[in-house]
Amino acid sequence: MELDSLSSLEKREILFTDIKNAIEVAWINNAKLPNNDAIIRSVLTASDIDSAEARLRRFAPFIKMIFPETVEAKGIIESPIIEVPELRKALNREKIGANLAGRLYMKMDSELPIGGSVKARGGVYELLKYTEGLAVDNGVLDSYEDDYCKLGSPSARAFFATRKIHIGSTGNLGLSVGLVGKAIGYETIVHMSADAAEWKKDILCSKGVIIKVYDGDYGDVVSKAKAEAMVDANGHFVDDEDSKDMFLGYAVAGKRLKKQLRQQGIAVDKEHPLFVYLPCGVGSTPGGITFGLRQFLGDHVHCIFVEPTQAPCMLLGMVTGLYNNITVQDVGLSGKTHADGLAVGRPSSVIGDFIKPFLSGIITIKDKRLFDYLRLLWESERIFIEPSSCAAIHGPVCWSHSPEMRDYLEDNNLLRYMENATHIIWATGGGLVPENIRQELLAKKV
Ligand SMILES: *Cc1c(COP(=O)(O)O)cnc(C)c1O
């Protein structure tokens, strides 16, 4: 017993040193609980996700109206799940040596309408919820049972034009919320850091969204944007560091994925474990999706976050128990990464503590690998996703590369079922990256 606890302390020490030195690590979360135990302590439940999903359904006729690309899906913003057998083969080849048993899939949120990234879930949901409340309070809608297409009437649009939406974003959140804000008719202001991609600014500008650019990193931009929105009486700030609504918007993915898996005949149970790999920035996206997956698929889904070695903010917060009270810069890391959606120094204030009982673990990845995976995916499947997204491709590889991950399988009696396992790489973005930038990224060496 004493020896055991000593060695776990030593392990922690080694892990912490490796994190500080930007070495790729794997951390297994010993605080994970069975879903029934975890949910008792949780302030949110499956019924919160149900009501978020119902809200998205109420809005669907209106979404269909303002975003013609959603007509086929009847105004529901959703992406397909596809099997990627060629990627699996490529990962299993000697060079990478994943030795992955089971089947490999990708959840194509990179193809989501309204921005081409996962932000079209949480970001759009947050703004729709705000819009609904505002519309009912101001008589634009009579009630929550009203015809939501009324939101597109000239008088409704005139009303929304008197209101302002502020978003602080390094990119994809600004893109999704900017597009939907403007489409509803709000005056929409996206506050971005100087290093945000030009093409994202171009798309937003072309739609009439106002862009404000600031020096500093993501955290700086958010605090400046927030300060500006605060003094604006008609303004609403879409906050991805501290939004329960955004979180629930992401969580709806769990409910919908359950249905998609059933449609594809993919079982999730003791003999058929499901592993899901999610890129993590502030944690809102992977946290929300993990919560949704655990609520609707139960204990046989294992969620793993992936962070860049230079910006492992969620990992650092969890390992130290300091959550959002520590930054990666505090331990000497730069916070800089080519995975721009994950270039975050401080995790969300609401995710870490909340998601811990639902989470299996966190792994980190060096930037160099992101581009290796980007090319590998393109060469094997002719699928393009952005570098941030590529972090998730490290997930299926970790089982053969990391003794800690191997231990997780052993400790959870999973080894014997790996032949039947399903692995899902959550492709979080890249759908709108222009062709010239794609070519640049495909050729990039770091
Ligand atoms: C935002 C984003 C993430 C991470 O989401 P967080 O909520 O910041 O953790 C991952 N991938 C892409 C492409 C993103 O845009």
Side-chain angles (χ1 to χ4, degrees):
M1 183 64 199
E2 220 165 76
L3 246 177
D4 259 7
S5 51
L6 185 67
S7 71
S8 81
L9 247 178
E10 276 173 354
K11 272 188 197 160
R12 240 181 74 121
E13 197 66 20
I14 294 167
L15 173 67
F16 190 61
T17 308
D18 284 352
I19 294 171
K20 282 197 290 191
N21 289 324
I23 291 168
E24 286 179 344
V25 298
W27 169 74
I28 295 301
N29 173 24
N30 290 321
K32 180 177 169 238
L33 293 172
N35 201 51
N36 285 338
D37 296 335
I39 201 70
I40 293 170
R41 313 191 317 181
S42 166
V43 292
L44 297 170
T45 65
S47 74
D48 295 301
I49 304 175
D50 288 336
S51 59
E53 195 210 18
R55 177 167 291 111
L56 289 169
R57 258 186 275 120
R58 289 200 289 280
F59 268 98
F62 174 61
I63 292 293
K64 198 169 78 174
M65 212 170 93
I66 56 173
F67 291 104
E69 62 267 40
T70 67
V71 166
E72 205 179 316
K74 302 191 173 71
I76 296 295
I77 304 158
E78 195 41 77
S79 75
I81 174 170
I82 59 168
E83 189 165 14
V84 283
E86 296 306 318
L87 175 66
R88 178 179 176 279
K89 267 186 223 158
L91 291 175
N92 277 350
R93 270 185 216 116
E94 205 174 327
K95 187 154 172 268
I96 294 176
N99 288 323
L100 192 71
R103 294 169 80 170
L104 184 62
Y105 289 79
M106 267 176 117
K107 178 64 177 156
M108 300 304 291
D109 278 5
S110 49
E111 302 301 324
L112 281 176
I114 322 184
S117 88
V118 67
K119 301 298 193 303
R121 296 184 184 277
V124 170
Y125 175 75
E126 209 269 18
L127 193 55
L128 294 181
K129 173 152 192 244
Y130 169 74
T131 300
E132 184 179 58
L134 193 67
V136 171
D137 287 348
N138 290 277
V140 177
L141 291 176
D142 293 336
S143 72
Y144 296 103
E145 280 83 49
D146 204 351
D147 173 8
Y148 279 38
C149 288
K150 276 189 189 171
L151 295 167
S153 71
S155 62
R157 293 190 66 82
F159 168 73
F160 291 124
T162 65
R163 302 288 174 140
K164 280 186 214 167
I165 300 299
H166 294 270
I167 315 118
S169 167
T170 48
N172 286 338
L173 183 70
L175 201 52
S176 280
V177 178
L179 291 174
V180 76
K182 196 68 203 172
I184 293 170
Y186 291 109
E187 182 173 341
T188 307
I189 302 134
V190 177
H191 305 260
M192 288 179 143
S193 50
D195 57 359
E198 270 324 302
W199 65 265
K200 289 182 187 167
K201 296 181 198 162
D202 292 345
I203 291 178
L204 289 170
C205 274
S206 76
K207 302 283 180 188
V209 173
I210 299 162
I211 312 269
K212 292 197 172 174
V213 178
Y214 303 85
D215 289 332
D217 67 7
Y218 176 72
D220 298 328
V221 174
V222 169
S223 53
K224 282 173 193 159
K226 227 186 239 181
E228 201 180 314
M230 288 278 270
V231 298
D232 192 344
N234 285 330
H236 170 69
F237 180 70
V238 176
D239 193 345
D240 99 318
E241 285 189 314
D242 181 22
S243 167
K244 190 186 90 185
D245 292 328
M246 203 173 290
F247 182 83
L248 286 172
Y250 292 122
V252 169
K255 186 170 185 184
R256 300 217 189 120
L257 187 73
K258 179 180 181 166
K259 199 168 147 197
Q260 284 185 321
L261 292 176
R262 202 185 314 121
Q263 283 164 350
Q264 298 218 11
I266 300 169
V268 181
D269 54 34
K270 182 160 178 268
E271 287 81 30
H272 302 86
L274 173 66
F275 298 89
V276 182
Y277 311 102
L278 300 143
C280 178
V282 293
S284 191
T285 305
I289 294 172
T290 293
F291 180 63
L293 287 169
R294 288 292 306 275
Q295 294 325 300
F296 291 94
L297 289 161
D299 288 330
H300 303 295
V301 50
H302 306 268
C303 297
I304 308 222
F305 292 180
V306 192
E307 296 191 284
T309 49
Q310 284 291 345
C313 62
M314 185 59 72
L315 176 62
L316 194 61
M318 294 237 181
V319 167
T320 58
L322 291 170
Y323 301 108
N324 64 317
N325 293 311
I326 188 167
T327 68
V328 302
Q329 287 83 4
D330 290 340
V331 301
L333 294 169
S334 70
K336 290 195 168 46
T337 162
H338 289 91
D340 51 0
L342 316 180
V344 180
R346 187 193 298 277
S348 157
S349 61
V350 291
I351 304 297
D353 193 29
F354 177 83
I355 206 63
K356 207 169 185 183
F358 301 99
L359 177 68
S360 294
I362 302 179
I363 60 174
T364 59
I365 178 176
K366 280 188 181 299
D367 271 25
K368 179 190 175 304
R369 261 193 228 275
L370 296 174
F371 292 97
D372 291 344
Y373 289 145
L374 189 115
R375 279 184 281 276
L376 201 68
L377 178 63
W378 176 252
E379 283 155 15
S380 59
E381 299 279 353
R382 285 288 179 258
I383 293 174
F384 178 90
I385 58 176
E386 65 182 87
S388 299
S389 262
C390 291
I393 302 178
H394 200 40
V397 178
C398 75
W399 307 109
S400 65
H401 281 212
S402 148
E404 289 82 4
M405 300 308 284
R406 198 79 194 161
D407 288 349
Y408 177 85
L409 297 182
E410 208 167 305
D411 294 347
N412 289 279
N413 281 320
L414 289 161
L415 278 173
R416 77 184 82 171
Y417 302 123
M418 291 310 271
E419 289 289 333
N420 308 330
T422 302
H423 301 264
I424 299 179
I425 292 165
W426 211 284
T428 45
L432 290 190
V433 176
E435 185 55 33
N436 61 328
I437 310 283
R438 287 183 184 212
Q439 292 310 324
E440 255 173 48
L441 290 169
L442 281 165
K444 195 161 184 109
K445 294 262 172 6
V446 298

